[in-house]
């Protein structure tokens, strides 16, 4: 009898695991001494750049002013010297194509000097612009391959850094990636555009509140990353994990997450070692990671940073994902960032904490202690509420992916319906506003926003509600439906833009009502808040987002419920969304269309890969194991019979039935894969959703039943029990 050997191997490896690297010398080199050491930071710039150049750069970085290209040569030369001192031989423009990954092209500093040697060279134009051969990145029709030019353009506002490798280092320069016609081929360009428009509109509102020069206003982001770590040997023994990042088969482990003994539990030794190194690597890059803990599911963890300027946070978040994966390998682990690596236990999300503010005015979603702050706070909060209500469909589109379909609405993550959790106190305030003037609920008298003694709002203006996709959490909003594997750029772009549109509306209304007379502001604010509270209260929901009643209630309130990616993506092209993005200069109509094409195609490709994998695993791993056991049962029965004893063949019969079912489900899956839809890309996506995914699931149902009865030594795939609990 042949047995399968791939499974015992990981187990042996796990048992005999020893770190390949020497332990970190954390005492000799304390973490604070390495923080930011690989960043071309403000301090480095100040020390190395001539004063006028430094000042010019700061204007762009801190005030969002236009970059003076004249400074590039000087900056490039200083950057090169700094990088070479840090051991760099190459520089790389890093960019973020629409695949959601991080891309980079490396070039050497070395140029032959014509006399048999080489000099190092890095010019201003090399710093400012690069030209990777970009024909293989998706452009959704913006750029045909015959016009494959794509340019990377230096993003001054995101600091350059040194990427270390045991064999050398590279100077990395964050860039935007655009086509030769100037259209955005990446995720960064729209982030920068949306930050700019948000700043402009927020500034208008702040001026009305008497801030003559509020300084540069920017969105802030603090993304909390959830992920799984499992032994790396398991990854290679499972083609589905290797190629799709999630298990397509697997019976539940006898123990799952039901004991609730994982959340915030003691972090396993090897995992903690990994986390410590991840954090040190990120410290060097100036990524302000702060929090680590166990998550709800077995072998699931979380890492969260201190919030920063949203553009920088977006780049840093990409570094967080890359660093977790890279460092995990060193410790014999595999990091799984997929939204749903294992069925039946929690998947992973990425809570995107978002606010806006500036160095002079502070956090604009901070309630503050005095009534005047409160009025301003209420206006900004109302603008967000209005934005999320008006464009909840667009926000839903921004988090749509094949992976997130497994999570949203599955009673472990928020529902696919966008709503806002405000907490009791703020909800009460807004419902008072709706009726007219604010009454200090526990105090006497009628209050006018901003003048009388509006009670100071407590920092924790309400309890937590894990079922809400979008929650006010004290001084920021937390967008919880964002998925673990995605770049935060998309959700950020939508948030920044819809809030900019709302602030535009707010500023316009207040400007109209006050006509330049600050004395009229209070009444104008009062009226505006009342009308927003009235018109947009439907988006506020503090109850249980998982409940059936909410789904009914949400429908009554007219809130969109796009249940899956295929339903969501076409709404990107809804007239109001296309117009919004175009009006504020965030995405042209063509750019929006290209994103629709690319994301729909991506959905198809992902499901297609999964379906081919499922077919392959079912045919070449599971069915053969089932045949072997069936054969074993049959020969045993025959032998018993031959010995003259009546054999109980019920196990054999059950096995034959299951094998027959598996065979027929495999045929169905083959048929679903083979039958191609015709017409527009969305028709293909529908076919994948409606025919291929159900056929895959049907194969899985039988396979998982087989896993429960086939002998352990015949079963070819690492099991949930092993992957989740051997660490
Ligand atoms: P939680 O209770 O969800 O853990 P925390 O206060 O610890 O809340 O913050 C969670 C995340 O929110 C952190 O990454 C933090 O940096 C981020 N955050 C806090 N304030 C802001 C803000 N003003 N803007 C954006 N993100 C913020
Ligand atoms: Mg949180």
């Amino acid at each position: 009898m042949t047995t399968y050997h791939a499974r015992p191997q990981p187990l042996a490896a796990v048992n005999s695991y020893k770190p390949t690297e020497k332990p970190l010398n954390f005492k000799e080199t304390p973490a604070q001494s390495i923080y930011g050491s690989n960043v071309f930071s403000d301090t480095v710039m100040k020390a190395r750049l001539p004063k006028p150049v430094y000042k010019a750069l700061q204007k762009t970085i801190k005030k969002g002013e236009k970059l003076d290209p004249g400074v590039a040569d000087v900056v490039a030369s200083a950057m090169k010297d700094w990088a070479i001192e840090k051991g760099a031989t190459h520089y790389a423009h890093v960019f973020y194509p629409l695949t959601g990954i991080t891309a980079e092209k490396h070039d050497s500093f070395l140029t032959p000097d014509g006399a048999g040697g080489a000099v190092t060279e890095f010019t201003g134009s090399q710093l400012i612009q690069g030209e990777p051969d970009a024909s293989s990145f998706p452009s959704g029709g913006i750029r045909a391959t015959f016009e494959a030019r794509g340019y990377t353009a230096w993003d001054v506002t995101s600091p350059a850094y040194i990427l270390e490798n045991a064999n050398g280092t590279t100077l990395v320069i964050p860039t935007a990636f655009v086509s030769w016609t100037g259209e955005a081929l990446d995720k960064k360009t729209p982030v920068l555009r949306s930050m700019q428009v948000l700043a402009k509109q927020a500034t208008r509102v702040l001026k009305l509140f008497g801030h003559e020069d509020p300084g540069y206003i920017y969105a802030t982001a603090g993304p909390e990353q959830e992920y799984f770590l499992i032994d790396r040997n398991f990854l290679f023994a499972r083609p589905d994990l290797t190629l799709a990042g999630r298990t397509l088969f697997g019976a539940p482990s006898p123990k799952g997450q039901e004991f609730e003994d994982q959340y915030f539990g003691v972090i396993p030794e090897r995992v903690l070692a990994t986390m410590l190194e991840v954090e040190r690597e990120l410290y060097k890059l100036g990524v302000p990671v702060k929090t680590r803990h166990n998550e709800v599911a077995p072998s699931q963890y979380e890492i969260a940073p201190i919030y920063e300027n949203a553009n920088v946070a977006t780049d840093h978040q990409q570094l967080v994902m890359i660093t977790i994966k890279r460092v995990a390998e060193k410790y014999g682990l595999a990091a799984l960032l997929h939204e749903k690596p294992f069925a039946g236990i929690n998947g992973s999300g990425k809570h995107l904490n978002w606010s806006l503010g500036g160095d002079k005015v502070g956090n604009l979603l901070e309630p503050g202690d005095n009534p005047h702050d409160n009025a301003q706070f209420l206006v900004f909060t109302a603008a967000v509420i209005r934005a999320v209500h008006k464009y909840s469909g667009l926000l839903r589109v921004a988090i749509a992916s094949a992976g997130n379909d497994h999570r949203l609405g599955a009673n472990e993550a928020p529902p696919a319906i966008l709503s806002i959790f405000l907490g009791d106190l703020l909800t009460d305030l807004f419902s008072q506003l709706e009726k007219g003037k604010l009454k200090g609920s526990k105090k006497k008298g009628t209050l006018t926003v901003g003048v009388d003694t509006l009670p100071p709002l407590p920092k924790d203006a309400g309890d937590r509600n894990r079922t809400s996709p979008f929650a006010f959490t004290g001084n920021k909003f937390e967008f919880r439906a964002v998925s673990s594997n995605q770049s935060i750029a998309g959700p950020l772009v939508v948030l920044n833009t819809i809030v900019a549109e709302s602030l535009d509306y707010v500023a316009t209304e207040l400007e109209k009502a006050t006509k330049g007379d600050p004395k009229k502001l209070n009444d104008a604010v009062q009226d505006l808040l009342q009308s927003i509270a009235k018109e947009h209260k439907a988006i506020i929901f503090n109850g249980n987002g998982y409940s059936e009643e909410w789904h009914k209630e949400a429908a009554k309130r007219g809130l969109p419920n796009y249940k899956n990616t295929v339903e969501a993506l076409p709404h990107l092209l809804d007239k109001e969304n296309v117009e919004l993005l175009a009006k504020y200069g965030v995405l042209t109509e063509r750019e929006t269309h290209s994103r629709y094409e690319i994301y729909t195609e991506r959905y198809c490709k992902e499901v297609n890969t999964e379906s081919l994998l499922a077919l392959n695993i079912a045919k070449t791993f599971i069915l053969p194991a089932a045949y072997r056991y069936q054969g074993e049962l049959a020969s045993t029965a025959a032998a018993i019979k031959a010995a003259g004893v009546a054999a109980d063949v019920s196990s054999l019969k059950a096995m034959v039935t299951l094998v027959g079912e598996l065979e027929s489900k495999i045929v169905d899956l083959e048929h679903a894969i083979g039958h191609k839809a015709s017409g527009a890309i969305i028709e293909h996506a529908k076919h994948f959703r409606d025919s291929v995914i159900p056929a895959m699931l049907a194969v899985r149902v039988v396979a998982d039943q087989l896993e429960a009865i086939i002998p352990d030594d015949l079963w070819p795939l690492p099991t949930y029990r092993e992957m989740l609990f051997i660490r």
Side-chain angles (χ1 to χ4, degrees), residues 63 167 327 412 448 485 675:
K63 297 189 177 158
N167 294 337
V327 174
E412 52 149 85
T448 315
N485 216 359
H675 169 85

Side-chain angles (χ1 to χ4, degrees), residues 6 116 209 427 521 565 667 701 705:
F209 277 91
T427 306
L521 183 69
T565 302
V667 172
V701 168
Q705 278 172 274

Side-chain angles (χ1 to χ4, degrees), residues 130-192:
E131 193 192 342
D133 176 11
S135 49
S136 305
F137 292 107
S139 72
I142 281 184
R143 190 202 53 221
T145 32
F146 64 83
E147 47 182 44
R149 275 168 199 275
Y151 295 102
T152 50
W154 178 30
D155 172 15
V156 193
T157 61
S158 184
Y161 55 90
I162 298 283
L163 197 64
E164 287 182 348
N165 176 284
N167 294 337
T169 74
T170 305
L171 167 68
V172 183
I173 299 148
T175 63
F177 180 46
V178 294
S179 77
W180 68 285
T181 49
E183 286 167 300
L185 297 173
D186 68 342
K187 291 190 171 269
K188 179 187 269 292
T189 308
V191 169
L192 291 171

